[in-house]
Amino acid sequence: MTILASMKAHTEQDYRRRIAQVVEAILIDPAAPHTVDSLAAFAHLSSFHFHRIYRAITGESVAVTVKRVRLARAAQRLADAKESVTSIALSVGYDSAQTFARAFRDFTGLTPSVFSQRQRDLGSPPGNCQERALRALTLREMPPMEVLCLRHAGPVAGIPHSYQTLLRLLGGHPWFPRSQCVGIAYGDPEDKDGFTYFAGLLPPESVPAPMPLEAVRVEGGLYAAYRLIGPYALIAPTFQTLFGQWLPQSGYEPDHRPVLELYVAPDTSESQSNSVTDLLIPIRGDPA
């Protein structure tokens, strides 16, 4: 029997609340010297029990979460291209640009400078020398979808943990191997009160949504699609570039439908460097 299976419902809910607070603390200050002992004290748990519970709920160690949050924050700042690599490295908890560059390359398969250049290429206007990057964006007409979803609660950095819960709840169903993971997002992730995210699974046929899941219908329509190859932590900074730089120059207007993440080919290794994810922005009509 796993540690989660042995918990009573109210105890599990309390532990999940505490772990969400721990993840939020890491997100607020990723550069802090977070340790199992310091975070266990924050969660009001012994270090031994905290690490077991943390891993059971999130599916990863504290060290992996801290690394992922730090490098995801760094990727967002690299996408802005307003700071030096050294400044970014120090701001997210690395003691040198060299140490940070090695960790970032292991995490993404790219050096910080190459990643930053790729983001600039993606946001460049049409007609210049960056057309190869722009051709990575395609228009795609999507059919309506009925998705089994778990509504994410807590900080954005905890979204991978919602997928862990979703897969644990649905992994025993016979149709599960033929399903695709889908992320559904409404609003701006920087706006806590105006952002809603669903970790979803698209089954091959219509099935009822068992508690605590809900069925979410996504209307079909036109999307601008970008295929991201790399860890899931790069999803947010890539959307940041697409919305902040590509969309205003594209001539298209955003539609009211949700933003979608289609998990085409997950990479289950720690680095996730070979994961393939299609990022879809809803648009309408012809470009202006």
Side-chain angles (χ1 to χ4, degrees), residues 126 137-140 222-225 242-243 246-255 257 281-288:
L137 282 132
T138 59
L139 298 185
R140 186 182 303 183
L222 186 64
Y223 283 83
L242 292 173
F243 272 103
W246 176 81
L247 185 60
Q249 300 174 100
S250 70
Y252 288 99
E253 289 290 328
D255 196 27
R257 288 167 287 126
I281 295 176
I283 55 177
R284 62 175 181 267
D286 295 322

Side-chain angles (χ1 to χ4, degrees), residues 1-2 32-33 39-40 53 59 75 113 115 122 127 133 137 142 145-146 153 166 190 192 217 220 233 250-251 276:
M1 180 178 293
T2 66
L39 294 174
I53 292 166
S113 58
F115 173 77
L122 185 58
L137 282 132
M142 294 292 293
M145 295 187 295
E146 296 283 349
L166 176 73
E190 297 299 319
K192 291 184 178 179
R217 179 177 173 83
S250 70
V276 179

